[in-house]
Amino acid sequence: MMERWNDGTEYVRGRICLVVALLSIVPTFHRSLSAQDTIPPSYGTLKRDDIVVRFATGTVEIQCLPLDEQVIRLLATDTYQSLTQLIRSRQDDVTAAAERAGVDKPTLVLVTFYGLVPQARFNPEDLNVTSRGRLFRPAGIVPLSPTWGSYQLDARQQAVAIYLFEPGISFRETLSISYQGLANESWSRAIRLLDQERSRVRARAQAAPPAPRPPAR
């Protein structure tokens, strides 16, 4: 046994087996990365109103905007930057709300209640999302407006918050947003716009000139 090791045969065989094993892993790892829908930032042109889900009761209007990275990266650069800055500025609050709810990697949605009449009442907990046949209730809410806690709005007054939902909502498929018996399924229109813009963003990114390299020191 010692002689076989000394002549290098077993050592070489071991190294070859190790290399073959590593090479067998690389394609799987590459496929997993390729399967991810990565969209480069700063190439989107969609407006926020193009994809926001909006519907109204007799007293309030509800607006819902997904904060999923693969959605907001398709928005115009200034809108994307303002939303990412908003998320960063409230990250501690979002993390704390997620921990209280026991939710890992929550799905975030920006929700706005807009008063249509004086003393318009709203109930934040009544807003739900149905995706892939499953009902998602708010796991946590991070208020962004001082008016949120009153649950009441004057005409043309708004209350804004970041909603946390459990993972599982797919913004690449049709979904429904409901509030107090009303349901809105207009996200299907947003899906078409997002798919079209996704193709345009990739084309713009490929056609863009490479970033200049910093001068050598």
Side-chain angles (χ1 to χ4, degrees):
M1 179 66 70
M2 184 63 69
E3 292 178 357
R4 294 178 65 189
W5 174 262
N6 288 340
D7 68 11
T9 302
E10 291 299 319
Y11 177 77
V12 172
R13 286 179 180 175
R15 299 291 291 180
I16 292 174
C17 291
L18 177 61
V19 171
V20 171
L22 290 174
L23 289 175
S24 67
I25 295 174
V26 171
T28 302
F29 178 70
H30 178 72
R31 285 195 299 270
S32 65
L33 289 180
S34 300
Q36 296 178 8
D37 185 14
T38 54
I39 302 298
S42 304
Y43 291 97
T45 61
L46 291 179
K47 299 178 181 178
R48 172 174 167 162
D49 286 344
D50 290 334
I51 62 171
V52 70
V53 175
R54 180 185 285 107
F55 61 110
T57 68
T59 58
V60 295
E61 178 179 284
I62 302 103
Q63 300 176 14
C64 301
L65 177 67
L67 295 178
D68 184 274
E69 186 72 16
Q70 299 303 316
V71 171
I72 63 176
R73 282 194 179 195
L74 298 171
L75 299 175
T77 301
D78 56 346
T79 304
Y80 170 70
Q81 292 175 347
S82 66
L83 290 174
T84 53
Q85 176 58 37
L86 171 64
I87 297 171
R88 283 195 298 267
S89 67
R90 304 309 296 266
Q91 187 59 60
D92 290 345
D93 296 327
V94 170
T95 300
E99 290 177 349
R100 287 194 298 269
V103 176
D104 185 33
K105 297 181 180 179
T107 298
L108 305 183
V109 178
L110 187 66
V111 177
T112 303
F113 287 90
Y114 185 82
L116 300 177
V117 297
Q119 298 182 346
R121 302 285 300 177
F122 69 96
N123 188 344
E125 300 291 341
D126 287 348
L127 188 139
N128 303 302
V129 177
T130 301
S131 176
R132 294 178 172 177
R134 177 184 170 189
L135 179 67
F136 292 83
R137 302 184 185 279
I141 298 175
V142 176
L144 304 180
S145 303
T147 54
W148 188 267
S150 66
Y151 305 141
Q152 182 171 297
L153 298 169
D154 290 332
R156 296 183 298 277
Q157 188 179 37
Q158 67 179 19
V160 187
I162 296 175
Y163 275 54
L164 288 73
F165 295 93
E166 292 183 355
I169 297 176
S170 173
F171 296 112
R172 298 294 296 271
E173 303 175 40
T174 58
L175 54 80
S176 174
I177 299 178
S178 58
Y179 177 76
Q180 294 185 346
L182 296 176
N184 184 294
E185 299 180 357
S186 63
W187 184 249
S188 57
R189 174 183 176 274
I191 292 174
R192 292 192 296 272
L193 293 175
L194 291 169
D195 286 343
Q196 293 169 2
E197 185 66 11
R198 190 172 289 109
S199 298
R200 297 189 187 104
V201 163
R202 287 177 174 145
R204 295 182 195 118
Q206 292 175 357
R213 294 183 178 181
R217 294 183 180 180

